[in-house]
Amino acid sequence: MNTFKLIKTIAPLTCCVMLGSCGSTNNSDENNDNNTSSQTLKDTSAPKVKINLKDYALMGFKGYDTIGDPSNYGIDTEKMVQDNSEAFGGSTPAIISDVSECFDISIDKHLLSNGDVIHMLVGDRYKELSDKYNVDINADGLEFTVSGLTELQEIDPFDSAEVTFTDPLDGTQSRICSFNIMGCYKWVDCNIDKGVANIGDTVKITFTSALEGRTVEQAFAEDGFKPTQTEKEYIVE
């Protein structure tokens, strides 16, 4: 949005102007008077009103513990303008919209856990407001402690694992190793390190994340679970 600052100016009157205007009507002067009367005078003499953004910062949190996200965060510009309407020259929707456009907000951390400390980051555009309005805005100290994320349910995913060792009937000590996971974990993969092993050997079953860039614990958390272990060894029988 383009914002125009209109400054009312009054030209000094001289004897020549007064004499030239006596007894006559000057349409140009009347038009100029009408134009200047509609202009807004910016009071530059008053001290700037100091505004701390922390008083108007909004922050919420959603999701499961360890993979939470910030929600409904930003600056309540409507309340800020209304509380300081004299400094902003009013609190009309147009002024609130103009102020709102000067705030670019981001968060410095995601995949949140309860107790984490995060920061709201404000882009430099808000500094333009001190030129447009009679305000001095402080954007420091926008720090928040994460709380209210849903706690995870602790489970042992191997409680639902069925591991079988099948005799291939070839007269040897080898066994075909297979497993079945009864639990439903949408974002978790599972594999066994040996398809065939001899009796007495050890095989390992491991859970891994099916989500790129996420740990297996975070993948379990997507379903609301916290695994007590993600790999387990079995002895072939």
Side-chain angles (χ1 to χ4, degrees), residues 33-183:
D33 288 341
N34 290 335
N35 289 337
T36 54
S37 66
S38 64
Q39 295 174 352
T40 302
L41 178 62
K42 180 177 179 180
D43 185 2
T44 57
S45 61
K48 288 185 178 294
V49 175
K50 295 185 179 298
I51 297 176
N52 190 340
L53 286 187
K54 193 165 187 178
D55 295 334
Y56 301 99
L58 305 174
M59 178 63 69
F61 305 102
K62 66 179 181 179
Y64 288 110
D65 189 26
T66 72
I67 58 168
D69 285 304
S71 68
N72 300 321
Y73 60 88
I75 303 297
D76 189 346
T77 52
E78 181 176 2
K79 181 172 176 25
M80 183 175 70
V81 172
Q82 290 173 346
D83 288 352
N84 303 276
S85 59
E86 185 174 345
F88 283 104
S91 58
T92 64
I95 293 175
I96 294 172
S97 176
D98 181 53
V99 172
S100 298
E101 289 184 3
C102 289
F103 286 100
D104 301 317
I105 306 297
S106 60
I107 303 298
D108 68 344
K109 186 177 181 181
H110 293 269
L111 297 176
L112 305 175
S113 298
N114 287 321
D116 284 350
V117 175
I118 67 172
H119 299 85
M120 182 185 293
L121 308 177
V122 184
D124 287 341
R125 285 190 61 198
Y126 79 91
K127 296 177 181 178
E128 299 174 8
L129 294 174
S130 63
D131 295 327
K132 295 181 179 181
Y133 305 103
N134 196 36
V135 295
D136 180 13
I137 295 178
N138 177 19
D140 296 332
L142 299 179
E143 181 178 282
F144 305 86
T145 300
V146 179
S147 63
L149 298 176
T150 303
E151 296 292 339
L152 299 173
Q153 177 186 349
E154 192 171 272
I155 63 165
D156 183 347
F158 292 98
D159 286 346
S160 62
E162 290 185 355
V163 182
T164 58
F165 305 107
T166 306
D167 185 349
L169 303 177
D170 59 359
T172 68
Q173 294 290 303
S174 65
R175 294 293 184 265
I176 299 172
C177 309
S178 61
F179 68 94
N180 183 38
I181 303 297
M182 305 302 292

